[in-house]
Amino acid sequence: MGLLGRERRWPTLIAVALLGNVALGVVLIRVAGGDEHFAVEPNYYRKAVDWDSTAAQAERNRALGWEVTPQLAALAAGTAPTLHLLVRTGAGAPVIGATVSLEAMPVAYADEVLRAVLPASDALGRTSVPVGMARTGLWELRLSVLRGTERFTTNLRLDVSASREASVVTARPGDARP
């Protein structure tokens, strides 16, 4: 009659299939969690719940009309490059005395977040900070500019290179072509 009796064969096969499915799930979770490119957006649920305040901030950003222009020299081995930000009004006047909070992350390694608070912008609207941007490639900059009670936020993408100055990327994969 074999190892298993007829009455135990199907329940055993079902149990083996279920346990195999659980084991495969555990293995896949371990493999996915070990990926160095994997990142989770912090406070994602809170950001979704606070969508109204995000939309209100976007409206304030449009009303202020400020522009932030980044400058970053080509990366050199062994040195921390200095990120320069130029903050201007829509009319081109410098935004003087504004402090900038920065979150910078390489897009391919989004869990490696660099944070800095830049000193108040000078009479030309310029502020600078040395940053540990050691990787070439696309970087996302999340900026919050604060002057008095005025707050302006923006996200920029920089293409950082070892051979040329970084450039702002305006077209993203999936964007509609003009």
Side-chain angles (χ1 to χ4, degrees):
M1 223 172 79
L3 262 111
L4 294 175
R6 240 170 204 233
E7 63 277 353
R8 292 189 179 194
R9 185 175 299 153
W10 285 110
T12 302
L13 286 174
I14 292 171
V16 167
L18 290 174
L19 290 174
N21 191 26
V22 169
L24 179 62
V26 169
V27 168
L28 291 176
I29 288 170
R30 298 282 299 183
V31 169
D35 185 1
E36 62 184 22
H37 300 283
F38 179 79
V40 175
E41 181 73 27
N43 300 319
Y44 188 77
Y45 181 76
R46 171 68 20 216
K47 290 177 183 179
V49 169
D50 293 341
W51 176 249
D52 290 340
S53 64
T54 302
Q57 180 62 50
E59 187 57 40
R60 286 191 294 274
N61 292 342
R62 278 190 288 283
L64 281 172
W66 292 357
E67 296 174 2
V68 180
T69 306
Q71 277 187 313
L72 183 71
L75 294 185
T79 62
T82 299
L83 177 66
H84 304 283
L85 297 176
L86 185 61
V87 184
R88 298 203 173 268
T89 65
V95 177
I96 301 168
T99 58
V100 179
S101 296
L102 164 72
E103 284 187 354
M105 65 207 75
V107 172
Y109 299 89
D111 64 331
E112 297 177 12
V113 181
L114 304 174
R115 291 179 176 83
V117 176
L118 286 73
S121 55
D122 61 17
L124 299 175
R126 186 174 170 159
T127 182
S128 303
V129 67
V131 290
M133 297 171 97
R135 294 184 186 275
T136 59
L138 286 179
W139 280 74
E140 180 167 335
L141 305 181
R142 295 178 181 179
L143 304 164
S144 177
V145 182
L146 187 62
R147 182 181 70 177
T149 59
E150 298 172 311
R151 182 171 179 257
F152 176 80
T153 60
T154 189
N155 293 343
L156 301 172
R157 288 233 171 152
L158 279 183
D159 184 5
V160 177
S161 172
S163 61
R164 59 180 163 68
E165 186 174 304
S167 59
V168 176
V169 175
T170 54
R172 297 182 185 196
D175 284 351
R177 295 182 185 215

